[in-house]
Amino acid sequence: MARLDPHSYCDDAQPQTDTVDWVARVDFASKTLTAVATLTFARSGSGPLDLDTRGLTIDRAETLDGRVVPFVVHTEDAVLGARLTLTLPEGTAGVRVAYRTSPEASALQWLEAAQTHGGVHPFLFSQCQAIHARSVLPLQDTPRVRVRYTAALTVPAQLKALMAAAFVSREVDGDLAVERWQMPQSIPPYLFAFAVGDLAGRELGPRCRVWAEPGVIDRAAFEFAGADAMLTTAEALFGPYPWDRFDFLTMPPSFPYGGMENPRLTFLTPTLLAGDRSLVNVLAHELAHSWTGNLVTNANAEHFWLNEGFTVYAERRIQEVLEGAERGALSEALGRESLDEAIKGFKARPALTHLRTDLTGIDPDDAYSQVPYEKGYLFLKTLERYVGRPAFDVYLRRYIETFAFRSITTDDFVRFTRAALPGALEAIDAPAWIEGPGVPSNAASGGSARLDALRALGTTPPADAVAGAWSPAEWQLWLQQCARTPDDVDCAALDARFDLSVSGNFEVLVAWLELGVLAGYVPAVPRACQLLSQVGRMKYLRPLYKALMVRPETRAVARSTFEACAPAYHPIARQVVRGLLSAP
Ligand SMILES: [Zn+2]
């Protein structure tokens, strides 16, 4: 027997799940799901079967032909959750487990009507990455075990359910509706996803539809109007789109991430709705995951860079085609800023800045950082520079074709790359990237004329004509540059001249408020607190809470803001901010 994933009780000597049939009733009053999960195995088996669970109450278990299956729920582990051991009778082809979820299920956020845009109906959504699917259903919660599934969700009839799967049917019976879905392609369990709320959809093209609350749908449809063209661009780069449809859902403001690449239904933060389509690179990122991540998947969280490094690379290739090389260079520079910041944060734990990590005993949410994204990107960019783009493009297509619908490790990547690009890994000293800390000195860097001009400014404000022509990315970079020496910046003058405190672009606004708070610019503090009460995206919570904790006079404000806002934050975000506020 072997447990091959440090974050799962899955034992590869036991039967492996092939398909899941999930039937669940959503109860907003008790914030629970009452459900039956039927797991069918790739091959019949007997004896112990270990499944992952967290906070589930197991009511009963039986075989597909109705024989009782004895089970034990072990003591809950803080990182892994509780192991559920079933004892399968001879010749068991599958099991049916009846259970209920906990109101504290770590994958689920139950929003009160007041937390939605419309303010009338409640909202429910799931976020299963990295290891939260087990709080929704008992399963082998490791990307190594890919499953296909069918699902039937019973929800209040006035609400709409959506799943990251193909829609089958909706039947209304009195005040309840049953919505059926199926996922014909195999997915790792962290891509299991659904949402329930007052939702409207708008077609954006033959394969793309955007979903949002009715009051947000017009803005969302405008912002993401280019989705279909983006999909065509991505196919030209990476091969045919393997998931049939590319729909996406604009989430309520508490959604903790920029996006989540749930196949057939990407989840997106509403902070992307800048009104000028300037933040659609996040949509490009989630789309790119259709190949790198969802199709070729990391075997466990220790190889997360295979998902995110490849996807940042792919995202920037899409962006380069759609917006030009100059814009790509700015994105790369922004990425490098966030990477350096992340590496600084891991000063005491440099092993977490390796591409391949050892996460035994470590919660993947605690290890989460920009390192797998941006260091992974730089590694691939360095490889691309060494072999040349034409050879790299052939390599990338072959990598995707070879590992499609498989879950792989860094060793699989190394073996494949050695054979496909002989000598390249040695030439760029791949071990220093994969098994070493920080960023190796041979990292490729793009650069551009606009980037150089911006760097040359230092903390000097741009001339009005220049500022008027600046893209949000240039503003963001310049503001971040100023935040390194905040005492040299006259924030009041800047705000008066460029109206930064009322920027409609969250990336610019947060970079500005971070600078303002660090510089002791008093009006920035209430504005930052107001923003912290309106959105729950961790990318913004982190720098603003961190900045508020720098000066003694704003620490109490940080704590009281968090106390007031915490109930509205997603459980994952709450945990992250609590960590920031308790840091010495
Ligand atoms: Zn990603």
Side-chain angles (χ1 to χ4, degrees):
M1 65 166 268
R3 275 178 52 198
L4 298 172
D5 181 340
H7 298 119
S8 172
Y9 287 109
C10 175
D11 183 330
D12 76 334
Q14 299 176 355
Q16 295 220 335
T17 309
D18 180 37
T19 62
V20 175
D21 178 56
W22 189 57
V23 179
R25 190 165 49 81
V26 174
D27 183 25
F28 280 97
S30 65
K31 298 187 175 174
T32 57
L33 308 177
T34 304
V36 176
T38 304
L39 315 184
T40 305
F41 307 135
R43 231 175 280 127
S44 298
S46 61
L49 173 69
D50 293 315
L51 299 180
D52 297 299
T53 73
R54 181 182 285 132
L56 301 184
T57 304
I58 309 296
D59 293 322
R60 58 179 193 283
E62 60 184 30
T63 62
L64 299 184
D65 48 9
R67 290 175 285 167
V68 170
V69 173
F71 65 86
V72 180
V73 180
H74 299 266
T75 314
E76 188 124 344
D77 175 90
V79 175
L80 297 180
R83 174 157 59 116
L84 166 65
T85 303
L86 305 164
T87 304
L88 307 177
E90 208 55 49
T92 301
V95 285
R96 197 174 290 128
V97 182
Y99 67 96
R100 284 157 291 151
T101 61
S102 152
E104 279 81 46
S106 57
L108 301 180
Q109 193 177 16
W110 301 83
L111 299 177
E112 308 288 341
Q115 291 170 273
T116 65
H117 186 270
V120 177
H121 299 286
F123 196 102
L124 166 66
F125 70 87
S126 66
Q127 167 57 42
C128 288
Q129 198 177 34
I131 53 168
H132 301 288
R134 65 194 63 181
S135 72
V136 178
L137 70 170
L139 79 175
Q140 293 164 312
D141 191 7
T142 168
R144 284 182 168 276
V145 179
R146 305 180 73 102
V147 296
R148 292 165 292 136
Y149 70 84
T150 54
L153 269 178
T154 300
V155 300
Q158 71 269 37
L159 300 183
K160 173 96 195 87
L162 290 175
M163 282 202 88
F167 175 72
V168 176
S169 65
R170 174 180 164 102
E171 288 159 42
V172 177
D173 181 8
D175 51 6
L176 293 176
V178 180
E179 304 224 24
R180 290 175 202 282
W181 303 83
Q182 63 167 323
M183 190 61 182
Q185 290 102 349
S186 72
I187 57 154
Y190 72 79
L191 292 177
F192 184 84
F194 65 97
V196 183
D198 180 16
L199 294 165
R202 185 81 54 82
E203 301 301 323
L204 297 177
R207 287 182 289 176
C208 299
R209 180 186 301 129
V210 59
W211 293 92
E213 284 192 66
V216 183
I217 191 71
D218 285 339
R219 284 168 62 210
F222 171 83
E223 206 77 32
F224 304 124
D228 211 68
M230 196 181 263
L231 178 50
T232 309
T233 301
E235 282 188 306
L237 289 165
F238 316 122
Y241 181 72
W243 305 94
D244 305 326
R245 291 198 58 87
F246 179 55
D247 294 345
F248 39 93
L249 170 62
T250 311
M251 304 296 285
S254 68
F255 186 61
Y257 293 105
M260 178 63 212
E261 64 270 24
N262 301 312
R264 292 169 182 260
L265 188 69
T266 278
F267 288 4
L268 296 170
T269 167
T271 61
L272 303 180
L273 305 178
D276 59 5
R277 299 175 180 158
S278 59
L279 301 177
V280 293
N281 67 299
V282 175
L283 185 65
H285 180 94
E286 307 314 329
L287 170 61
H289 269 307
S290 305
W291 291 269
T292 51
N294 299 3
L295 190 61
V296 181
T297 307
N298 57 207
N300 65 54
E302 293 180 333
H303 310 280
F304 191 45
W305 81 273
L306 290 173
N307 276 20
E308 297 302 343
F310 272 92
T311 298
V312 172
Y313 176 85
E315 165 201 337
R316 295 204 176 128
R317 289 294 299 273
I318 296 171
Q319 192 176 35
E320 191 186 300
V321 174
L322 295 176
E323 299 178 57
E326 194 71 61
R327 179 67 178 86
L330 296 176
S331 294
E332 193 181 273
L334 283 167
R336 184 59 197 256
E337 294 272 339
S338 67
L339 175 58
D340 292 343
E341 191 63 27
I343 289 173
K344 248 194 275 166
F346 282 135
K347 222 182 286 163
R349 303 161 87 189
L352 289 178
T353 69
H354 299 187
L355 284 181
R356 190 218 185 284
T357 50
D358 177 359
L359 297 182
T360 311
I362 299 176
D363 188 327
D365 287 337
D366 292 339
Y368 181 90
S369 80
Q370 285 301 302
V371 171
Y373 293 74
E374 296 294 344
K375 184 178 175 182
Y377 163 79
L378 280 178
F379 173 52
L380 295 171
K381 192 77 189 160
T382 305
L383 187 59
E384 181 214 273
R385 186 183 58 181
Y386 177 74
V387 301
R389 183 166 277 190
F392 191 84
D393 281 356
V394 173
Y395 157 81
L396 186 58
R397 289 286 278 259
R398 273 189 54 206
Y399 169 83
I400 292 167
E401 283 162 18
T402 303
F403 295 119
F405 293 109
R406 287 174 59 189
S407 302
I408 67 170
T409 64
T410 304
D411 285 346
D412 294 323
F413 158 83
V414 168
R415 265 191 298 275
F416 175 82
T417 307
R418 271 209 188 114
L421 300 171
L425 290 181
E426 290 76 8
I428 65 164
D429 193 10
W433 286 87
I434 294 170
E435 313 283 351
V439 180
S441 55
N442 66 348
S445 70
S448 77
R450 295 182 80 160
L451 189 59
D452 292 342
L454 198 146
R455 293 285 190 230
L457 276 179
T459 55
T460 311
D464 286 350
V466 173
W470 265 9
S471 65
E474 283 165 299
W475 273 110
Q476 196 189 342
L477 270 165
W478 182 71
L479 291 167
Q480 288 178 350
Q481 189 164 296
C482 292
R484 273 187 232 127
T485 50
D487 297 340
D488 300 349
V489 183
D490 182 350
C491 287
L494 270 184
D495 205 8
R497 211 168 127 202
F498 299 118
D499 288 333
L500 292 162
S501 292
V502 293
S503 172
N505 183 301
F506 271 90
E507 298 287 322
V508 174
L509 182 59
V510 170
W512 159 246
L513 293 175
E514 184 186 9
L515 167 63
V517 170
L518 289 172
Y521 174 54
V522 174
V525 176
R527 183 73 184 93
C529 295
Q530 184 191 25
L531 190 149
L532 291 169
S533 72
Q534 288 168 339
V535 303
R537 185 177 175 189
M538 293 190 286
K539 186 181 183 188
Y540 303 145
L541 302 190
R542 274 198 197 89
L544 291 181
Y545 275 111
K546 259 192 190 164
L548 287 168
M549 289 302 282
V550 170
R551 287 175 170 263
E553 67 267 28
T554 50
R555 277 180 208 151
V557 177
R559 296 208 172 90
S560 61
T561 302
F562 177 62
E563 233 161 79
C565 300
Y569 290 159
H570 191 277
I572 299 174
R574 223 179 286 150
Q575 184 184 331
V576 163
V577 177
R578 210 170 277 134
L580 291 176
L581 298 189
S582 63

